[in-house]
Amino acid sequence: MESIKIGKQKVIIHRYNTVIVGAGAAGINAAVHLYEFFTQKGIKDAQDRIAVVTAGLSLGASRMSGSDKQTYYKMGTSPDVPDSAEAFAKTLTAAGCCHGDLALAEAIGSLREFYHLVQAGVPFPHDSTGSFLGYKTDNDPFERATSAGPKTSKMMCECLQRQVVHYGIKIYDQQEVAHLVTTGKRIIGVVTIDKKSLKAKNFGINIFQCENLILAAGGPGELYKTSVYPKNQTGIHGLAFQAGLAAENLTESQFGLASTKFRWNVSGSYMQVIPRIFSSDANGGDEREFLADFFPTMSKMATNIFLKGYQWPFDPQRIENCQSSLIDILVFNETQKGRRVFMDFRKNPYAVSLPGVGNSSMKPFAIEDLEAEALGYLRKTGALQKTPIERLACMNQPAIDIYKEHGIDLWKEPLEIAVCAQHNNGGFAVNHWWESNIPRTFVVGEMAGTHGVKRPGGAALNSGQVGSLRAAEFIANVYGADMPSKNSATKEIKTQVGWLIAGYESFMESKGLKAKDVIAEIQQRMTASAGHIREINDARKALSGAIDLMSRIKQEGIAIRSTKDIPSAVRAEHLALASVAYLKAIVSLLAQGSGSRGSHLVLSPDGVHIAGTELRFKLENEELRNSILRVKYAPKLPDLFHCENVTPRPIPAQRKAFEPAWKDYRLGKIYE
Ligand SMILES: Cc1cc2nc3c(=O)[nH]c(=O)nc-3n(C[C@H](O)[C@H](O)[C@H](O)COP(=O)(O)OP(=O)(O)OC[C@H]3O[C@@H](n4cnc5c(N)ncnc54)[C@H](O)[C@@H]3O)c2cc1C
């Protein structure tokens, strides 16, 4: 570690072979594997060549998010149900816009990484013969899902971090990424603001110079106002765009029902126990059984509440004929009217709450009236008790405990919910070694755009593990363990960090925008126009609002009163650029006549009417399943981003005989 002076600032320089940005499940796993690959190659001080850099070790979706039983998706491990990697890849690509080579690599790598987690100590349940137990998750035709409980991804992080610590790999905490240093061909360093060392005149600037970079900074959760992403999960999408990375499928975010006081998904058992769902006025009065106005019978309504458990993400293809995603629409409708929506586990669903409102022909709730799929599952799990909370206690006690840990007692109070942004299937484009369009920069975890229009629940965690394994393998075998030389790229570093410092100095003089207002404006706009309900004219207006915000930031700056405000100003600036990218992608896709797909519905005056509402939606344009929307930063264009369509790569079908394949492996041809 050394320091240099740039402008008036003392800047600390660190040098590593590989810098990993993000300490979630994907980033931490990359560190573990890279250390192991380097060590296997005879590198004695592998731990000194790798660094993990994060804005907060306790932050991020992996460590802070979950659900009733947070899901890990892998190839089937049932003793009697056969599965294959090709079948798995077909599930991942089924709804289109997914590269087949990534899907196959995720399929093949899924068991290796699953057992890697088992070895690391994640308590995935198995039976007395050692068979790991599975269940059915969203968009999953088999029972490939498994779980270690509500906090699976937190456990993954903790187990993998134990290994990172054991190996002696350094984790730099409290480092807000502020810039990626580029040479035009490569990214050669990460500039951070060390939040611990911000002082009166010290901007806390650190530079992590590297030969290889693994970006694992997660999804852009802070883009949305109504969100179940953990607070402060910002990501670094804007910075990655500025550095030249291309992104794919940004339009394919997932939205679904989640609790808002404590941000948590209410999927799986929370829905399968069929709680009462009601709305109230802003003060909690005037309770209404609003779902009953739209479903023809209690059996249909209760069965669809049950199905929401494993049809969790909002899916516009599950609205017609009173299917489970009608519930998301109706919840959203209520919240749009300024009402609040709750799940009440103390009571079964009611039919009618007000005279003349609702479906007076509905019978009272009775478990035996449920449709076969719901009734069969509740019988199988023994969850036939009188009330939802008793059924939940029988089916999944940890799902109750997690709320208790956060001050919410489901035995005593209802749980407020909303349709929230949860995950982005899209992200930065990678090849089948998770290398981006910039050589030696890899993107893994949620920041990588590896999923298509739909993904099975749990596939995000699997993709993060497999991607980080593959990136580490490629770095160790192709780029090697060399350290950056002391004199390399000094000019670029000094120039680019000089710009940053000048920018912050001007922000300190600025009486312009406040970071908090910039972020609030972005979140408001993204939730209103880039959420689960979209309309082309509205999206166009939102895009021009987002571009206008960028130019206001350029002209007026973001006011910084003290150096402590620098991290939020940094976040506001790059989130603003990220929001332009997302909106540009949305407008571009809608302009191609895309229609409703994945987890968003597209409004259209001549579309299908949702009975009882004013909404009409356009059906999916299936032709676009074979076309992925790719977005790249182009600052000279009026909309700041260039969009193009690329054709998804197919699932590789070539299977070589053992000897030639072995030769390819020995000669390293597999990395070509
Ligand atoms: C409520 C909820 C439930 C979910 N349930 C499931 C599920 O059941 N199954 C499944 O597969 N997926 C699920 N997901 C998605 C999954 O949890 C995430 O996609 C995954 O954990 C992301 O892991 P990651 O390592 O890529 O990023 P994260 O875990 O988000 O980690 C990001 C890291 O980057 C750091 N970072 C972020 N921004 C910056 C910055 N500006 N500067 C420096 N560092 C930064 C963070 O501090 C953190 O260390 C769920 C998500 C949510 C929100």
Side-chain angles (χ1 to χ4, degrees), residues 284-354:
D286 185 29
E287 291 186 10
R288 295 269 312 272
E289 314 301 314
F290 64 99
L291 294 181
D293 297 355
F294 297 87
F295 284 91
T297 62
M298 173 59 79
S299 167
K300 185 98 182 148
M301 179 170 100
T303 299
N304 277 288
I305 295 175
F306 169 91
L307 290 174
K308 195 107 255 315
Y310 47 85
Q311 296 176 357
W312 179 79
F314 168 65
D315 181 346
Q317 284 149 6
R318 285 203 169 108
I319 295 176
E320 282 179 281
N321 304 319
C322 295
Q323 295 182 71
S324 61
S325 277
L326 178 59
I327 297 172
D328 305 68
I329 290 284
L330 300 177
V331 170
F332 178 71
N333 244 358
E334 289 296 291
T335 52
Q336 287 298 94
K337 291 182 220 157
R339 293 178 63 81
R340 299 163 67 189
V341 179
F342 298 86
M343 287 164 90
D344 188 349
F345 291 88
R346 299 163 303 174
K347 292 177 186 148
N348 290 310
Y350 287 174
V352 187
S353 58
L354 291 174

Side-chain angles (χ1 to χ4, degrees), residues 492-513:
E492 281 91 351
I493 290 173
K494 285 194 171 157
T495 311
Q496 292 176 35
V497 174
W499 293 335
L500 270 195
I501 291 171
Y504 301 150
E505 282 168 350
S506 80
F507 281 7
M508 294 200 91
E509 312 273 287
S510 159
K511 303 238 168 341
L513 306 166

Side-chain angles (χ1 to χ4, degrees), residues 23 25-26 54-56 61-62 70-71 175-177 217 235 265 422 445-446 458 460-461:
T54 173
S62 312
Q70 200 192 11
T71 303
Q175 305 289 327
E176 188 74 38
V177 175
N265 275 8
Q422 186 247 8
E446 188 170 335
L461 292 176

Side-chain angles (χ1 to χ4, degrees), residues 21-27 53-56 59-63 65-67 69-72 153 175-177 216-219 228-230 233-236 264-265 422-423 444-447 455 457-462 574:
V21 177
V53 172
T54 173
L59 302 180
S62 312
R63 291 176 193 258
S65 303
S67 58
K69 48 185 188 303
Q70 200 192 11
T71 303
Y72 192 90
S153 56
Q175 305 289 327
E176 188 74 38
V177 175
V228 63
Y229 278 96
Q233 172 46 41
T234 314
I236 53 168
W264 206 249
N265 275 8
Q422 186 247 8
H423 181 267
V444 303
E446 188 170 335
M447 201 178 159
R455 67 171 175 90
L461 292 176
N462 179 55
H574 67 75

Side-chain angles (χ1 to χ4, degrees), residues 16-31:
Y16 287 94
N17 166 272
T18 300
V19 168
I20 299 163
V21 177
I28 283 284
N29 193 48

Side-chain angles (χ1 to χ4, degrees), residues 364-578:
F365 174 82
I367 284 208
E368 53 281 11
D369 290 345
L370 291 172
E371 291 175 18
E373 187 169 347
L375 182 58
Y377 192 82
L378 292 178
R379 282 204 173 120
K380 213 161 97 183
T381 52
L384 297 166
Q385 294 72 8
K386 260 174 125 176
T387 61
I389 190 70
E390 289 169 300
R391 297 194 282 275
L392 190 57
C394 162
M395 206 190 258
N396 185 351
Q397 178 62 39
I400 300 175
D401 300 341
I402 182 85
Y403 278 101
K404 197 75 204 280
E405 276 173 37
H406 291 85
I408 298 171
D409 186 347
L410 299 182
W411 287 92
K412 294 199 180 132
E413 59 190 299
L415 185 64
E416 186 158 8
I417 57 168
V419 182
C420 294
Q422 186 247 8
H423 181 267
N424 190 206
N425 283 0
F428 291 94
V430 290
N431 69 13
H432 67 289
W433 291 104
W434 271 251
E435 190 170 22
S436 72
N437 57 308
I438 300 183
R440 289 176 173 251
T441 293
F442 296 76
V443 192
V444 303
E446 188 170 335
M447 201 178 159
T450 53
H451 309 286
V453 166
K454 288 186 186 175
R455 67 171 175 90
L461 292 176
N462 179 55
S463 174
Q465 298 302 285
V466 175
S468 46
L469 164 78
R470 306 255 317 155
E473 180 179 341
F474 196 83
I475 289 172
N477 285 285
V478 178
Y479 294 137
D482 291 347
M483 300 287 274
S485 82
K486 206 171 163 194
N487 299 322
S488 63
T490 319
K491 190 168 145 240
E492 281 91 351
I493 290 173
K494 285 194 171 157
T495 311
Q496 292 176 35
V497 174
W499 293 335
L500 270 195
I501 291 171
Y504 301 150
E505 282 168 350
S506 80
F507 281 7
M508 294 200 91
E509 312 273 287
S510 159
K511 303 238 168 341
L513 306 166
K514 291 200 179 76
K516 126 172 143 359
D517 296 339
V518 170
I519 293 176
E521 181 181 329
I522 295 167
Q523 292 180 341
Q524 177 71 33
R525 183 182 291 120
M526 290 295 288
T527 285
S529 305
H532 67 297
I533 298 188
R534 301 177 185 172
E535 196 273 326
I536 187 156
N537 294 317
D538 175 61
R540 281 193 176 120
K541 257 193 237 150
L543 173 60
S544 69
I547 294 168
D548 176 61
L549 178 62
M550 281 302 297
S551 40
R552 276 186 283 142
I553 293 174
K554 223 173 181 180
Q555 280 159 19
E556 299 173 38
I558 297 178
I560 293 178
R561 273 176 306 160
S562 88
T563 52
K564 299 260 180 253
D565 295 338
I566 294 178
S568 52
V570 168
R571 283 195 289 270
E573 204 176 5
H574 67 75
L575 261 185
L577 184 63

